[in-house]
């Protein structure tokens, strides 16, 4: 250590590094290597940036191509519709000619349907004829209901998401004879009608109205066309998954929330956590309430509340919502005979499909599904008398306004099918007598 004094300040002696040529070479090589690594690092970063840019561009292109495909599909549908309209307008007796959608408007104003005031009003009526509308028209009518009930504003629903959600729901219904997208539409339209008829908007929260409508739309999603009894007896995947407890209804519900789990289809994406919880719980309760195995229990619970009904009581409102979705689910017979009767054929077709399969698989067959035992009249009378009329009469206690347009048509339908049964019986008697007479002939 050098000494430090005034005459001899701190002295630092620099000693020339004595490097050998080999050491110098090694240092230089290390330095070169480090510099190369730095350069590579920078190059990788550049490459990364370039790749990100290219991926973004590719994603954009895929999106654009996807949109093009959608547009082409839409155009195809429009052309088919246009052909249908041309066909129907050339035949004035065809009820389709009376369609109130303006296709001209649709094609020339960004393919938007225009609903006439008459249609808008008619849509609120329980006698609405569902058979006059094509699936994409029904989508548009459902969309209208969400706007009309102010649900789009209340839940802050993105209009494109609403369209996409409805499309996705439609695609998730199978082409069963009965449990199909048209049935979903009918149930929802009846709920929409009841909301007006019973002035539910004045009595219930917007949240409840949204839950009721959405539960209706989702209530039979991905129905396989075979009921719970079949699922349980055949030990299907659904029955195993849900331990024989309302396998179908649990499945419809799970599919509903699977659809909503896609951000592109989540109409409730903009609600807060607490509201989402209430929506989810509300929809689950309502879809599960559509299992007819729980009919007695749910009706009884509502009956106990109806005479002292209190809209401030959560339990009362919950029971009402359950009974409302049940009413709508089995409300075909409330509609005029020309609308409701084809549904009976659809239901029997689905029942027969099941009973045929049950026979083939050696499973028990319910008599009401057996094509050898049931007729349209016998199928209907018991159901209308013992299920529909008692339930709708109970609801009419709370909403007398449904008496004329819902309960009365049910009584008329009962009388119609009782007459039909008498005719069937007379016909059977005649056939029996004829067969006997033939036998007696020598
Ligand atoms: Zn249903």
């Amino acid at each position: 250590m050098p000494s430090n004094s005034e005459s001899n300040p701190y002295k630092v002696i620099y000693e020339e590094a004595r490097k050998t040529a080999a050491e110098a070479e090694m240092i230089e090589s290390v330095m070169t290597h480090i510099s190369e690594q730095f350069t590579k690092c920078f190059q990788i970063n550049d490459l990364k940036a370039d790749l990100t840019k290219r991926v973004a561009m590719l994603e954009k292109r895929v999106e654009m191509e996807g949109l093009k495909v959608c547009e082409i599909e839409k155009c195809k549908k429009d052309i088919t519709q246009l052909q249908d309209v041309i066909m129907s307008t050339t035949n004035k007796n065809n009820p389709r000619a009376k369609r109130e959608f303006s296709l001209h408007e649709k094609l020339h104003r960004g393919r938007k349907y225009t609903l006439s005031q008459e249609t808008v009003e008619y849509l609120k009526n329980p006698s609405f004829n569902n058979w006059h509308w094509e699936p994409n028209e029904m989508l548009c009518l459902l969309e209208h209901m969400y706007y009309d009930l102010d649900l789009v504003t209340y839940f802050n629903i993105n209009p494109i998401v609403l369209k996409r959600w409805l499309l996705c729901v439609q695609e998730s219904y199978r082409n069963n004879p009965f449990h199909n997208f048209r049935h979903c539409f009918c149930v929802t339209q009846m709920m929409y009608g009841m909301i007006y008829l019973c002035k539910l908007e004045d009595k219930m929260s917007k949240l409840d109205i949204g839950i009721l409508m959405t539960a209706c739309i989702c209530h039979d999603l991905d129905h396989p066309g075979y009921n719970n009894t079949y699922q349980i007896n055949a030990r299907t995947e659904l029955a195993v998954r849900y331990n024989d407890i309302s396998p179908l209804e649990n499945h419809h519900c799970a599919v509903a929330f699977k659809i909503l789990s896609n951000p592109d289809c989540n109409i409730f994406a903009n609600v807060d956590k607490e509201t989402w919880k209430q929506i989810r719980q509300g929809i689950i309760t309502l879809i599960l309430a559509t299992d007819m195995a729980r009919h007695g229990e749910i009706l009884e619970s509502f009956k106990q509340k109806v005479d002292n009904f209190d809209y401030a009581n959560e339990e009362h409102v919950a029971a009402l919502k359950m009974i409302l979705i049940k009413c709508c689910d089995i409300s075909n017979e409330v509609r005029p005979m020309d609308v409701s009767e084809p549904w009976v054929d659809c239901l029997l077709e689905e029942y027969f499909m099941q009973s045929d399969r049950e026979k083939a698989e050696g499973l028990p067959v319910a008599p009401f599904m057996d094509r050898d035992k049931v007729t349209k009249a016998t199928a209907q009378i018991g159901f209308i008398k013992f299920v529909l009329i008692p339930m709708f009469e109970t609801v009419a206690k709370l909403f007398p306004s449904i008496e004329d347009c819902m309960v009365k048509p049910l009584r008329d339908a009962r009388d119609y099918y009782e007459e039909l049964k008498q005719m069937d019986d007379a016909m059977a008697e005649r056939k029996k007598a004829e067969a006997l007479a033939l036998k007696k002939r020598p």
Side-chain angles (χ1 to χ4, degrees):
M1 188 82 180
S3 56
N4 193 18
S5 64
E6 265 177 46
S7 57
N8 190 12
Y10 212 137
K11 225 175 178 177
V12 177
I13 302 160
Y14 172 74
E15 273 191 74
E16 186 74 37
R18 287 184 206 105
K19 284 180 285 181
T20 62
E23 276 173 338
E25 203 175 303
M26 197 184 82
I27 288 170
E28 204 176 314
S29 124
V30 167
M31 292 308 285
T32 315
H33 186 67
I34 290 170
S35 119
E36 271 171 15
Q37 289 300 320
F38 268 115
T39 316
K40 269 187 195 164
C41 254
F42 286 126
Q43 277 173 346
I44 285 168
N45 278 344
D46 284 352
L47 204 67
K48 263 190 187 169
D50 192 40
L51 272 176
T52 316
K53 224 165 112 184
R54 278 167 194 242
V55 167
M57 270 165 68
L58 273 174
E59 274 176 351
K60 190 88 194 151
R61 267 182 67 180
V62 169
E63 198 183 322
M64 296 292 283
E65 293 301 318
L67 282 174
K68 271 187 207 163
V69 171
C70 287
E71 285 298 306
I72 290 166
E73 284 305 313
K74 274 184 200 162
C75 284
K76 275 189 195 164
K77 272 188 187 171
D78 288 339
I79 290 165
T80 319
Q81 277 190 347
L82 206 56
Q83 282 168 341
D84 284 357
V85 166
I86 292 165
M87 287 283 282
S88 58
T89 42
T90 50
N91 178 5
K92 284 191 177 160
N93 294 327
N94 190 332
R96 288 170 61 111
K98 291 176 187 163
R99 284 248 183 88
E100 295 169 35
F101 281 119
S102 161
L103 267 161
H104 178 81
E105 288 261 298
K106 190 179 171 247
L107 282 170
H108 296 279
R109 281 198 198 166
R111 276 178 284 286
K112 252 187 124 181
Y113 282 122
T114 311
L115 299 178
S116 71
Q117 197 50 42
E118 214 183 327
T119 304
V120 164
E121 284 308 313
Y122 180 39
L123 191 60
K124 295 172 186 164
N125 201 315
S127 68
F128 186 85
N129 191 335
N130 58 266
W131 300 107
H132 284 172
W133 312 85
E134 296 290 341
N136 48 343
E137 292 170 339
M138 289 189 275
L139 279 178
C140 168
L141 293 170
L142 291 172
E143 194 183 342
H144 165 80
M145 294 175 199
Y146 272 66
Y147 279 97
D148 185 53
L149 293 170
D150 220 17
L151 300 176
V152 178
T153 312
Y154 181 79
F155 293 107
N156 191 12
I157 305 174
N158 177 327
I160 303 296
V161 171
L162 177 61
K163 275 181 196 289
R164 239 189 260 130
W165 173 69
L166 284 169
L167 258 171
C168 198
V169 162
Q170 183 197 25
E171 278 167 14
S172 304
Y173 273 92
R174 301 194 197 178
N175 284 327
N176 298 315
F178 186 93
H179 290 101
N180 49 40
F181 178 63
R182 194 175 294 279
H183 167 65
C184 142
F185 172 80
C186 283
V187 175
T188 314
Q189 187 272 326
M190 191 58 79
M191 182 62 82
Y192 181 64
M194 286 191 85
I195 288 170
Y196 277 100
L197 201 59
C198 309
K199 298 191 165 50
L200 294 181
E201 282 184 294
D202 303 340
K203 300 173 171 89
M204 281 184 179
S205 66
K206 249 325 162 228
L207 180 69
D208 279 335
I209 301 285
I211 289 170
L212 279 170
M213 289 293 291
T214 311
C216 282
I217 291 185
C218 299
H219 89 283
D220 269 333
L221 274 168
D222 196 40
H223 195 299
Y226 300 91
N227 73 7
N228 278 334
T229 309
Y230 176 83
Q231 304 296 328
I232 295 167
N233 289 338
R235 303 176 191 181
T236 62
E237 214 182 303
L238 286 184
V240 172
R241 183 177 307 149
Y242 295 112
N243 308 307
D244 296 349
I245 305 161
S246 305
L248 288 180
E249 292 71 20
N250 272 299
H251 180 60
H252 306 321
C253 211
V255 176
F257 283 97
K258 177 84 196 149
I259 294 173
L260 288 172
S261 73
N262 176 357
D264 291 340
C265 297
N266 186 5
I267 53 167
F268 300 119
N270 298 329
V271 304
D272 59 62
K273 273 189 185 161
E274 190 46 43
T275 311
W276 167 259
K277 253 184 171 174
Q278 288 178 324
I279 291 170
R280 177 162 162 80
Q281 195 48 60
I283 291 175
I284 292 172
T285 307
L286 292 193
I287 296 182
L288 293 185
T290 61
D291 182 356
M292 282 304 287
R294 294 179 56 203
H295 176 78
E297 163 219 327
I298 295 172
L299 181 59
E300 202 42 53
S301 157
F302 180 69
K303 268 186 182 165
Q304 283 174 6
K305 298 169 178 77
V306 73
D307 293 325
N308 300 300
F309 199 86
D310 178 8
Y311 285 97
N313 183 325
E314 268 181 39
E315 272 181 41
H316 284 210
V317 176
L320 172 62
K321 283 192 289 178
M322 286 201 261
I323 214 78
L324 282 172
I325 193 167
K326 279 177 60 53
C327 282
C328 295
D329 192 18
I330 51 177
S331 65
N332 285 331
E333 279 59 45
V334 165
R335 299 181 189 273
M337 206 50 75
D338 60 327
V339 181
S340 67
E341 206 176 344
W343 277 114
V344 186
D345 296 316
C346 295
L347 189 64
L348 287 179
E349 196 187 327
E350 201 168 297
Y351 280 176
F352 295 159
M353 206 168 73
Q354 175 172 329
S355 57
D356 290 347
R357 188 166 171 182
E358 285 168 335
K359 285 173 190 172
E361 293 176 5
L363 297 170
V365 178
F368 71 93
M369 287 193 170
D370 195 335
R371 62 170 81 241
D372 301 324
K373 292 182 181 142
V374 78
T375 67
K376 207 188 232 181
T378 55
Q380 287 297 84
I381 296 168
F383 190 66
I384 299 175
K385 268 171 112 167
F386 303 115
V387 177
L388 288 174
I389 295 181
M391 180 165 69
F392 278 85
E393 278 180 347
T394 311
V395 176
K397 281 187 178 180
L398 190 61
F399 305 117
S401 57
I402 71 159
E403 184 65 41
D404 285 345
C405 55
M406 297 184 92
V407 186
K408 191 181 170 297
L410 286 176
R411 295 193 187 111
D412 293 344
R414 174 199 58 199
D415 297 345
Y416 170 84
Y417 287 111
E418 270 178 344
E419 255 176 54
L420 186 67
K421 186 177 180 295
Q422 279 178 5
M423 279 176 0
D424 284 353
D425 290 349
M427 184 84 88
E429 278 299 315
R430 226 176 70 190
K431 275 189 183 165
K432 232 162 92 180
E434 276 171 10
L436 214 72
L438 272 172
K439 259 190 188 173
K440 280 181 183 168
R441 224 177 242 187

